[in-house]
Every structure is written in C-alpha cells, then in structure tokens.
Amino acid sequence: MPENQSRPPQPWENGWVPDTSRAPGTRRLYLAGALAVATIIACVTAIAWTDRGPETLSQPSPSGTATEPGLLSFGTPAPPEVTPPKGKSALTTDEATTSAPHQQGSASPSPASHPTTKSPSSHPSSADPKPTTTWRSVRSVNYPDRYWHVSGGYVKLDPVGGSESREDSTFTLVKGLADSSCYSFATADGQYLRHRGFILVANRNDGSPMFRQDATFCPRPSSAPGAIMLESVNYPGRFLRHQNFQLRLDPYQYNDLYRQDSAFRLVAGLA
C-alpha cells in the first residue's frame, strides 16, 4: 500500500486546540437543565389554573340562582333555607294553620276561626246513646209464684202483691261491686242486697271492702233448666237459698231440696 494514503487532518495540524477548561458535555447539561426548569414552570402554572378553575366556573350568575350552562359546580354552597314568617302571608294560609296538629303549649284556636265547630257540651245530639238500666226480678224455681221481696230490710220469698210489693220485688242488676264478672242487686231507693250474719238484707253502701264483697254474688249453673245459683264472693262454697221463705247464705248440700231451694231465674222486672 502507498505510504501517502489520504487521511483526515488532525486538529493540531489545523491550528485548533481542544478546550480543556470545561468538562465534556457541558452544553448538553445546560440544555437539559433549561428544559427541566421550563417543564416545572409549566406544571406549576397548570396546577394553579386547575385550582382556580372550579371557583371561577362555580360562580353564580347575576341572578344568583344558576351557574353557567354546561359546567359542573363542586364548591358552590346550597342556598340557605328560608323560614316563612308566622301569621297570615303569601306563604301561609288559614287552612294550613288550622289543619296542622296542635303542639303542646300552643294556644287553642278561637271560636271565630272554626264557625262550624260545636262544643261537645253545648247541644248533645239526639242520636247519642242513652244509658240503659237492667231491671230484674228473681223468681224461685220450686215456688214459681214467689219472688225476692224486700220487707222490713230483709229479703224474703213472697208472692206478688200490689204496686208497692212489685217495686220492692224489682232490682237493678249491676256488675258486682267486688268482681265485675259477678252480680250485685240494687233496690229502687239505692240500697244493695248483701249478706249480714249469712242473712240477705238491704243496706246502704258504706264504701267498705267488706260491704262490696258481701253484696257480690257470682252466677253458677243449676240443675234446673234456665236457672242459676248465686255463690258468695267472700264465702266460696256458700250459696243463696230460701229456708222458711227467708233468703240466707248456706254451704252447699248434696241433696235435691238444697239444689231446688238455691235455684233462681232472673226474669223481667215486675214494677
């Protein structure tokens, strides 16, 4: 091969001397740094506009009732609730006020606001139910012509007599004074039949527990059709029966005479 083959000129042959005062690649580092700074500035600017964007977009329109169309609002607070004033106004009516339930402590409406409302005690309706009184007479089973009859404060078994006798043989049948499932018998003058010394008498109610028990008798089934036996509340096992036509309270006896003497039918009042 020829020795004078062409080759590229070397720097030192052209008079150019390499700059040894800076490290290789410094220009590239400057460019990369400038690009990084520009990128950071762009990001900060974008974040700042992003933070301001919802506030700007959510600002209400001049009417204060709606935002700009097509934009979502995230930070706009709800408008405060307006409480209507009390009394007559365009927001409240008489109908709404009177139809609402009354709260405790509120004043009751005046009669003028309810012209059609009537006081319950002013004029009672003719259709109101009236209390009824159950009048009963007590007839013996084995002496069907004789009834309980108050005579001289005692209750006896007597035949039907005049109007006075019929009135004294008619009683008001009420719920038992000591037991509402049982019976009590009241006379026309407000006395009650009660046993005293095991004898049936008519006395005024003194309000004592003993009186209420003495005047309460519970119906029990009888062997006679349509008849009952009357057992004492405070002396269980003792039943009202007539003996020598006197009503008294005797223990139960297992014989036909006792069962007949203690069987009675409640019939319509004689008076």
Side-chain angles (χ1 to χ4, degrees):
M1 295 179 64
E3 294 181 359
N4 59 354
Q5 186 179 358
S6 64
R7 59 183 179 84
Q10 298 298 322
W12 55 84
E13 294 178 353
N14 295 333
W16 178 79
V17 180
D19 187 4
T20 59
S21 63
R22 61 178 181 178
T26 303
R27 182 178 299 174
R28 295 178 182 178
L29 291 177
Y30 287 160
L31 292 176
L35 181 61
V37 172
T39 302
I40 293 174
I41 293 174
C43 291
V44 171
T45 304
I47 292 174
W49 278 102
T50 301
D51 292 340
R52 295 179 56 189
E55 297 178 0
T56 304
L57 298 178
S58 61
Q59 291 180 356
S61 61
S63 62
T65 58
T67 57
E68 295 181 7
L71 299 178
L72 297 179
S73 174
F74 298 96
T76 305
E81 183 180 358
V82 178
T83 303
K86 297 181 180 181
K88 297 182 179 180
S89 66
L91 300 178
T92 59
T93 60
D94 291 341
E95 290 77 13
T97 302
T98 56
S99 62
H102 298 290
Q103 298 180 353
Q104 184 177 4
S106 61
S108 59
S110 60
S113 62
H114 299 278
T116 59
T117 304
K118 296 183 179 180
S119 174
S121 60
S122 58
H123 297 286
S125 173
S126 58
D128 292 342
K130 297 181 180 180
T132 58
T133 302
T134 303
W135 298 97
R136 289 290 183 265
S137 292
V138 187
R139 185 173 65 187
S140 171
V141 167
N142 51 352
Y143 291 91
D145 61 337
R146 289 177 177 262
Y147 297 80
W148 287 11
H149 174 240
V150 179
S151 177
Y154 293 92
V155 183
K156 299 180 180 180
L157 199 64
D158 291 335
V160 178
S163 60
E164 184 178 353
S165 175
R166 289 175 177 270
E167 183 178 353
D168 293 337
S169 298
T170 303
F171 310 97
T172 305
L173 187 66
V174 298
K175 292 182 179 181
L177 299 180
D179 188 342
S180 61
S181 64
C182 301
Y183 298 150
S184 289
F185 298 87
T187 63
D189 58 356
Q191 300 185 82
Y192 285 90
L193 305 186
R194 52 89 60 98
H195 66 83
R196 188 176 61 185
F198 301 121
I199 302 298
L200 192 63
V201 297
N203 284 161
R204 295 284 178 183
N205 185 2
D206 60 7
S208 64
M210 179 178 291
F211 184 96
R212 291 194 294 268
Q213 293 178 357
D214 288 349
T216 303
F217 305 94
C218 299
R220 304 295 184 229
S222 171
S223 59
I228 61 172
M229 300 175 65
L230 294 168
E231 184 181 17
S232 172
V233 164
N234 51 351
Y235 287 93
R238 285 180 176 263
F239 295 81
L240 289 175
R241 55 115 21 126
H242 65 84
Q243 189 176 36
N244 297 325
F245 302 121
Q246 173 73 54
L247 271 296
R248 57 182 298 114
L249 200 63
D250 279 353
Y252 183 81
Q253 299 176 19
Y254 293 90
N255 56 68
D256 292 338
L257 179 61
Y258 181 93
R259 284 191 286 267
Q260 291 180 2
D261 289 348
S262 60
F264 302 96
R265 291 188 175 95
L266 301 181
V267 298
L270 298 176

